[in-house]
Amino acid sequence: MNTSNIIAPPALVKRDQKHDTKAIQKLDSAHYFHPFTDLGDSAQHGSRVITRADNIYVWDSEGNKILDAMSGLWCVNAGYGRKELADAAYQQMMTLPFYNSFFQTTNVPAVQLAAKLSSLAPSVDGRKFDHVFFSSSGSESNDTNVRMVRRYWDLLEQPQRKIIISRQNAYHGSTMAGASLGGMSGMHAQGDLPIPNIAHIEQPYYFENGQPGESKADFGLRAARWLEEKILELGADKVAAFIAEPVQGAGGVIVPPDTYWPEIQRIVDKYGILLISDEVIYAFGRLGHWFAYEKYGYKPDLVTFAKAVTSGYIPLGGVMVGDRVAKVLIEKGGEFNHGYTYSGHPVACAVALANLELMERENLPGRVKDDIGPYLAERFEELDAHPLVGLAETVGFSAGLVLVKNKATQEMFDPALGVGMMCRNHCFNNGLIMRAVGDRMIIAPPLVMTRAQIDDMMVLIRRCLDATLDDLRADGKLA
Ligand code: PXG
């Protein structure tokens, strides 16, 4: 297809230029295979074209302003349009746009960022994170974790310890190892996953898995003990590590009961297995701390990060390597045959440094902990009274809303009705990005959001819930 007449080359696209939406959609479906998308379906409907962004808003090619309550994809914690980050990238590109970290070379931003991250990661009971391994994404970082964990046990002459236990409905990425660690059955069904030596236990989702009359605290303990049962079933000497998100993000903002993490810690300690905290979504302020394990007080050996380390402005991920693993790799390891071209990419690291400085200056983790987090919780409580809402809960600066058919019995809708998608579409059409995970609606807005903007968002959320309710009543799906 000759595209030269259809859209201007990127350098000529001005900020407020009118876009030919239809032409872009046509090119999009002709050439661009999107992630996690029904490739036949998207060609028929056409994608929404996002053209620019500022603060907590994005604009589409039709000029619609949309409040982005998902921070892009859980990443733009510092908000859009931050000149400091663009300047850092520009300066670094002009100084040293790329050099690798293989073959005993290094670069200044990567060194500085590794040191900075180590200083931000709190030590628990004297366990420190003095080392960082860089990648370009969360998926790659979890692949690194699998390699590192297995290498660790090999070096300790326990090569039979291979199994990594994860949880159902977890999301740990989309590479072969990442998707295997994840607990999404739809992902396992494609590509013959999981790879060998990955096992799963059920998630700590009280709303779905709690028993009648069981307290949340008791459920938290019972859910954690599924790990112990699995370890004993597999053989404690065969288990290498347990990986978990502090709060399951992509799974629907599944918040564990307070009793869950302390019990998990007791169990991993008892059997000596490594603990991997996948903080790709929840590190860098979203739970009111730099790192999420700090909120729940557990002691991971490895911490996966990505996304908000650069506020999503440029790809960067990595693994914080705790002393226990680092010591073995350093003292016994020899060469660790693993790494990526872009490990420690100088531009990505320079942007991350500028981003962390900005987050520190604006005290974004502190705002979440003491100001906008509690305010979001307060405002979400009001949604409990809505006829469609079975559960409204927040954690840090993220939230989940369960849409139910019957408030009194908490009966869910038939999944085939796609009530969550219905609500999501109303959100989009009303200028709000809120995600649907089944019938659980979720948000994770930028951490620069003001209280007044939270109020605006709540008006939109209520409007979309009302519109969904009206649809369901009009279609006779709800009394
Ligand atoms: N771990 C966690 C906890 C994640 O949330 C990854 C690893 C993988 O990161 P990369 O950078 O490789 O994508 C993620 C990513 C969603 C959604 O639908 C969530 C993610 C990615 C794509 C979609 O909520 N999280």
Side-chain angles (χ1 to χ4, degrees):
M1 184 192 283
N2 179 358
T3 59
S4 56
N5 294 328
I6 300 179
I7 44 175
L12 298 180
V13 174
K14 297 203 194 81
R15 249 171 91 87
D16 288 309
Q17 178 185 326
K18 271 261 226 222
H19 296 269
D20 183 342
T21 304
K22 286 262 171 319
I24 299 169
Q25 287 174 330
K26 200 167 157 199
L27 265 188
D28 180 56
S29 61
H31 298 293
Y32 184 12
F33 261 7
H34 292 217
F36 282 90
T37 299
D38 179 330
L39 300 168
D41 191 54
S42 82
Q44 276 166 21
H45 296 301
S47 304
R48 188 181 290 264
V49 184
I50 304 299
T51 52
R52 69 180 178 94
D54 192 36
N55 184 232
I56 61 163
Y57 302 99
V58 298
W59 279 259
D60 70 14
S61 53
E62 296 293 287
N64 295 305
K65 179 182 177 185
I66 309 168
L67 192 163
D68 181 9
M70 277 309 299
S71 305
L73 198 51
W74 317 88
C75 27
V76 189
N77 287 14
Y80 296 99
R82 306 308 303 253
K83 186 171 180 303
E84 300 93 318
L85 306 195
D87 285 345
Y90 176 80
Q91 289 299 338
Q92 188 57 45
M93 280 189 186
M94 295 308 289
T95 310
L96 178 74
F98 177 74
Y99 202 76
N100 71 70
S101 297
F102 291 55
F103 321 126
Q104 288 219 297
T105 55
T106 193
N107 68 77
V108 178
V111 174
Q112 288 177 334
L113 180 62
K116 181 73 194 173
L117 288 168
S118 296
S119 77
L120 290 177
S123 65
V124 192
D125 292 348
R127 299 195 199 183
K128 291 191 296 178
F129 290 94
D130 279 340
H131 298 86
V132 184
F133 191 95
F134 288 118
S135 73
S136 300
S137 69
S139 301
E140 284 179 354
S141 305
N142 280 329
D143 276 43
T144 296
N145 277 328
V146 174
R147 299 286 307 279
M148 217 176 249
V149 159
R150 291 185 176 161
R151 178 84 181 133
Y152 169 84
W153 287 114
D154 283 351
L155 289 169
L156 288 182
E157 293 172 14
Q158 297 188 51
Q160 79 288 351
R161 280 204 195 243
K162 285 282 182 280
I163 302 172
I164 302 179
I165 301 176
S166 179
R167 301 182 298 186
Q168 302 295 347
N169 198 37
Y171 190 81
H172 294 298
S174 204
T175 50
M176 295 294 277
S180 296
L181 291 171
M184 307 265 176
S185 53
M187 292 178 77
H188 291 172
Q190 299 176 358
D192 301 317
L193 302 178
I195 57 171
N197 289 314
I198 309 282
H200 293 87
I201 58 171
E202 193 47 83
Q203 61 179 336
Y205 187 19
Y206 180 62
F207 186 83
E208 227 170 66
N209 299 323
Q211 283 170 353
E214 186 179 34
S215 72
K216 216 170 179 178
D218 284 349
F219 171 73
L221 291 175
R222 186 163 68 85
R225 287 172 193 157
W226 292 329
L227 174 62
E228 187 156 29
E229 285 164 23
K230 186 55 94 178
I231 293 170
L232 295 174
E233 175 197 321
L234 297 166
D237 62 331
K238 302 222 169 41
V239 179
F242 175 59
I243 183 168
E245 301 158 76
V247 171
Q248 295 202 151
V253 184
I254 308 295
V255 188
D258 288 342
T259 47
Y260 184 76
W261 275 112
E263 185 65 1
I264 290 286
Q265 186 68 55
R266 181 191 70 76
I267 294 165
V268 294
D269 284 347
K270 179 171 172 190
Y271 297 99
I273 69 176
L274 294 169
L275 178 58
I276 309 169
S277 183
D278 184 344
E279 306 198 0
V280 165
I281 284 177
Y282 280 100
F284 309 115
R286 193 159 294 285
L287 284 182
H289 299 271
W290 287 106
F291 287 94
Y293 66 85
E294 211 180 339
K295 175 180 168 72
Y296 290 108
Y298 57 89
K299 299 171 267 185
D301 298 294
L302 298 161
V303 178
T304 322
F305 65 89
K307 293 191 188 273
V309 67
T310 61
S311 282
Y313 277 56
I314 197 164
L316 180 69
V319 176
M320 303 295 302
V321 185
D323 288 355
R324 176 178 170 194
V325 174
K327 193 167 181 309
V328 171
L329 292 179
I330 293 166
E331 290 175 6
K332 297 181 188 275
E335 185 165 329
F336 183 40
N337 297 323
H338 175 75
Y340 309 106
T341 299
Y342 298 126
S343 286
H345 192 290
V347 178
C349 292
V351 172
L353 281 165
N355 177 57
L356 296 177
E357 195 183 301
L358 182 160
M359 291 180 89
E360 247 175 345
R361 198 171 59 239
E362 298 184 1
N363 187 23
L364 296 187
R367 285 192 84 220
V368 168
K369 190 153 171 275
D370 303 323
D371 180 7
I372 57 171
Y375 188 62
L376 184 74
E378 198 182 307
R379 295 302 320 267
F380 253 66
E381 250 182 63
E382 296 164 17
L383 291 175
D384 263 334
H386 193 278
L388 258 191
V389 173
L391 172 75
E393 59 182 340
T394 68
V395 61
F397 210 52
S398 65
L401 268 183
V402 184
L403 307 181
V404 291
K405 186 172 176 184
N406 185 326
K407 237 179 135 63
T409 62
Q410 306 275 55
E411 185 193 349
M412 301 289 289
F413 288 100
D414 176 355
L417 289 177
V419 175
M421 284 309 267
M422 210 185 269
C423 182
R424 192 200 73 164
N425 292 340
H426 279 302
C427 293
F428 247 133
N429 296 333
N430 280 284
L432 172 70
I433 294 173
M434 172 151 85
R435 279 207 39 210
V437 179
D439 290 346
R440 199 172 157 97
M441 307 305 299
I442 57 174
I443 57 160
L447 310 187
V448 290
M449 207 177 199
T450 63
R451 285 181 174 229
Q453 288 172 328
I454 293 175
D455 292 341
D456 291 346
M457 177 178 72
M458 297 312 292
V459 170
L460 293 176
I461 291 177
R462 221 170 244 287
R463 189 177 298 162
C464 301
L465 289 173
D466 289 346
T468 309
L469 187 65
D470 288 349
D471 279 0
L472 289 165
R473 284 186 173 147
D475 291 348
K477 310 258 166 49
L478 204 64

